[in-house]
Amino acid sequence: MTAVHSWDIAPPPRAAAPIAAVELWYREPAVDEQRATVRVTVDGQEPNLRGHFPGLAIYPGVFVIETLEQAMALTVQTERDPVLRRIDSVRFLAPLLDGDELTLAVVAVPDGDGWRVTAIGTRRDGSVTARIKARFERAGDDD
């Protein structure tokens, strides 16, 4: 039986961002960690993508990382957005083209003053597009 989720429309990011990299999201109940799934549709007409291989818009890897950053802001919901401090591992395994939908499943495990994060991105066809391991910290006064 497939679980039915209630998707929420993502608010605009609090910090300056190249794009709104999350359109829909939901949080999953979990113990000792925080889980969320976010979605964004690649729009080849988006001004930041139009020049990225004209005629063949590709969602760049740096935008996948931006999707993760915006997802973390929704996942942990602290007063200030968590700060990406380190990417331990990232693999981009399949392209995201105009019209594709990126679904990014995020697991954030508390670790000291931040979170160890793993994220797996997939397309609608089930292809894994990205695997990311990263470290986020709580925002401080000097951020």
Side-chain angles (χ1 to χ4, degrees):
M1 184 167 165
T2 304
V4 175
H5 301 285
S6 176
W7 290 91
D8 292 319
I9 295 172
R14 288 190 279 198
I19 59 171
V22 172
E23 295 170 343
L24 299 171
W25 69 287
Y26 67 87
R27 204 174 354 205
E28 300 174 45
V31 177
D32 299 329
E33 62 190 19
Q34 301 206 29
R35 293 176 173 259
T37 301
V38 301
R39 287 189 175 160
V40 64
T41 302
V42 177
D43 178 3
Q45 296 305 306
E46 213 286 330
N48 292 301
L49 293 182
R50 279 194 305 231
H52 201 79
F53 298 105
L56 182 64
I58 296 177
Y59 198 66
V62 70
F63 285 8
V64 176
I65 299 299
E66 180 64 29
T67 300
L68 174 60
E69 288 188 85
Q70 291 180 27
M72 277 297 292
L74 294 166
T75 302
V76 298
Q77 293 191 338
T78 54
E79 187 173 316
R80 295 180 66 193
D81 292 345
V83 177
L84 175 63
R85 289 294 185 207
R86 184 175 69 224
I87 296 175
D88 294 319
S89 172
V90 64
R91 300 197 195 266
F92 300 113
L93 303 165
L96 291 157
L97 305 175
D98 188 15
D100 281 339
E101 180 180 77
L102 169 63
T103 299
L104 193 67
V106 178
V107 178
V109 178
D111 183 24
D113 63 347
W115 299 269
R116 282 180 291 110
V117 176
T118 57
I120 298 175
T122 56
R123 292 189 306 217
R124 279 189 192 120
D125 66 4
S127 299
V128 175
T129 62
R131 293 182 185 274
I132 306 166
K133 291 184 181 179
R135 168 85 178 143
F136 282 77
E137 292 179 358
R138 296 180 194 284
D141 292 334
D142 58 346
D143 291 318

